[in-house]
Each structure stands twice: as C-alpha cells, then as structure tokens.
Amino acid sequence: MRRILLALAIVAASLSGGAATASEPTKGTLFLIGGALADDNNAIYGEFVRQAGGAQARIGVLSASSAQPHWSANDAMKQLKRHGAGDAVWIPVSLKKDGSGEDPANVALAAGATAFFFTGGDQFRYVQTMIRPDGTDGAVLSAIRQRFAAGAPIAGTSAGMQIFAGPDMITGGLSYYGVRDGSQPGYFDTEEVLGYWPAGGFDFFAAGLVDTHFDARGRNGRSIRLAADTGHQRVFGVGEDTALVVNGPLMRVIGTNGVSILDLRAAAVAGDWSISGVRWSYLVDGDTYNADLWSIFKADIPGVPDERAAKPPTQDIFGSYEMLDAALDLTAAGLSTGTTGTTAETDPQFTVTLTKGAGFAPYARSFTDLSVAIG
C-alpha cells in the first residue's frame, strides 16, 4: 500500500523556504559518483583525495543516509586513507541522535575539514537531518556550504550524490511505474511510486536533474518521466563506479562506466503517456561537457560501425543495463538506423525506440545524440 511518510504540508514549507540558502557562489569541485564505487578505483578516490589536500587532507565523512551510519563512515574513512588522505573524520549527523545536524561539535568538525565525502543509503535521511523544516540549512550543512564556497571539494556516492540535487530531487521509484503513473511529490515507502522532493536536496548542482546507479538499475525511464513532469530540460544519469567531476559549468567523466546526458529541449509529450524527441548522449572516461553551452568534447575515439544489423529487441528494456546495451549495439550496427525494446510488464506494455537521427555520432564505447521515444 502506498503511503506518504511525511505530510505534504512539509513539502509546501520546503518550497517556501528553498532547499538550501546561501549567498556565496559555489567554488569547490563536486564529485557526483553514481554508486557501487570499487575500493580500488584510484581514478576517483585518487583525484578526490588529491584535491582534498593529499597527505594534509582532513576529510569530513557524512553518513546520515545509511541505516548503519557508523559502519558506513568507517568504511569510507578506511578507503580515503588507503588512497592517500592524511586524515578522515566522521561527522556523526544521524537520525539516531536528535539535533545532530545542529550540534556545535559537529559544526566544528565541518569547519575544520578540507573536503567532504557523503556515503550512500537513502537521500531523504540527509533531508531529515541536515535541512530544517522551513527549508533552510541546518548548522552543519551551513558550515559545509561555507567550506565549499571557499573551495573545498565535495564527493557523494549513490544517495550521497543524489542529495546534491536542486529542485525536484528524486526520492525513489522504478522506471516502469514512473512511466506508467507519472511522478508524485513526497517520499514514499514503495518503489511503485516515482517520488520527488520539490524543494530539492542541498542544491550544490543546478545544471539539471541527477540520477544514480543509472544503467545498472535501468533508470532512464523514471528520469525522463520526472523531467517531463517537472519541466526540466536535462538529466545527468551517472553510472556505477563512475564520477562526473563538476567545476561550475565544466564537467569531466572519470571511472569505469559512463554518464548519460538526456536532453529534453525538443521533446514532445502526447496522450497518456508517450514522449519523443529526447536526445541521449553517453559519455565515458575522459569526455567533457560544458553545461552552459550544452556542448560535448569527446576523448573517446570515433567508432567504425560493423556491417551488420542491430540485435533483436530486448523484452525488458528497463532491466539492468538493457537500454544501454541496446543503444551501444545499435551504435555499432552499421546496417540499422534504429532498434526497439519493450517492458517486461504488460499492463500496459511500453515500447522504447532508439533512432540514429540528425546529429547522432558513434564512438568506440559511447555515442552522442541518439533519439529516444517511449510510448
């Protein structure tokens, strides 16, 4: 049974206050990590620790999103030190301790940190512990924001990345149910509802919606539906063991998988419910993006398509890696201009069509401007 865990009156209060208020411009580097970060991923850990100060670093670890916050923090601190951080300290903000987001001792820990790392779990726990009911920053978040404005880098993985979002932060839901039923404001205790928090998270990232575990959990559908419902023109879907490193409008992909950028500027919604004209670009390690210019610079080499047709359509298009695998197969298939896939669910069944339209370009491990339609 669907149940809203917090009254929508709180949503209204958050809307009136804003997700996070700060007059300072953001100056630090953001590491948006899609989740499932491997212990040996030195590309991400190493770059973050270097920017944090290396042997002189003192990284504050936040783990309020976790059901086991102390364990999650200890694991993150171990990895950060293993990759060269001089020190890492837990900032024990947690639902298990009322008022910990306002605790002066925790504020002092944040004020003394050279960088911050947010662990995964459930992003809404960060909302509950670090943002006040009126939508303003709690004292610990305010201290972190000040350090970020002064240049301290901030990394977050999974829910720790999702909380960096601005307005309409995703709170949960599977792609099929999201496409079928649309999105709803609030936080829900079921994956059958595509929920979002209108006031957003910490609002560190303002270039578009963000989503995590993107390909491994088949989240293209839910992100497209939420963006269309809420009027956002762009989505950044970060894959597992991968980071989007953000310096203002300039962004760079590092890690083992990739980052999807969904462009909805020319998208058209019809009936109940279909969408066409979504442009999908998939970027991999070394690729860069300018959010102000909506432009991509590819480090990946150009692809040479095979003399073959695309593989038969997938029958679980929102399954793990299914949509990405279909797109990469189509990219490499020189004799096909499009491919389709259907949802495993049939009440109703949705079809996703991928088309090599104007602007499409193939690369060895990626592509740009693949057209997406769902109906």
Side-chain angles (χ1 to χ4, degrees), residues 166-256:
D168 307 319
M169 179 187 73
I170 292 174
T171 56
L174 297 175
S175 279
Y176 174 77
Y177 298 106
V179 171
R180 187 188 72 180
D181 302 329
S183 57
Q184 297 185 41
Y187 180 88
F188 303 85
D189 63 350
T190 172
E191 289 286 2
E192 293 187 10
V193 177
L194 172 53
Y196 68 99
W197 199 243
F202 296 163
D203 203 20
F204 291 151
F205 184 82
L209 294 179
V210 297
D211 208 348
T212 61
H213 300 277
F214 200 66
D215 308 300
R217 300 187 185 178
R219 288 178 165 171
N220 303 65
R222 78 172 193 176
S223 290
I224 289 172
R225 182 66 198 253
L226 179 59
D229 286 355
T230 56
H232 289 267
Q233 293 187 325
R234 184 164 48 189
V235 177
F236 297 84
V238 185
E240 293 186 343
D241 202 32
T242 303
L244 184 63
V245 182
V246 180
N247 295 95
L250 303 180
M251 307 178 189
R252 175 169 52 95
V253 179
I254 58 175
T256 58

Side-chain angles (χ1 to χ4, degrees), residues 63-116:
S63 58
S65 61
S66 175
Q68 298 177 296
H70 199 180
W71 181 90
S72 294
N74 281 340
D75 183 64
M77 290 187 291
K78 179 179 72 176
Q79 297 307 326
L80 292 165
K81 291 177 182 178
R82 177 174 173 242
H83 287 274
D87 194 14
V89 58
W90 184 32
I91 302 177
V93 176
S94 170
L95 282 173
K96 297 182 178 182
K97 184 178 179 182
D98 289 344
S100 54
E102 305 287 349
D103 190 331
N106 292 339
V107 173
L109 289 173
T114 63
F116 302 92

Side-chain angles (χ1 to χ4, degrees), residues 40 46 64 99 104 131 147 232 284 300 340 373:
D40 61 354
I131 298 176
R147 296 293 299 124
H232 289 267
V284 293
D300 192 15
T340 62

Side-chain angles (χ1 to χ4, degrees), residues 311-318 322-323 326 339-343:
K311 294 177 182 178
T314 173
Q315 296 180 356
D316 186 15
I317 193 64
F318 295 142
E322 291 285 341
M323 193 161 164
T339 190
T340 62
T342 59
T343 58

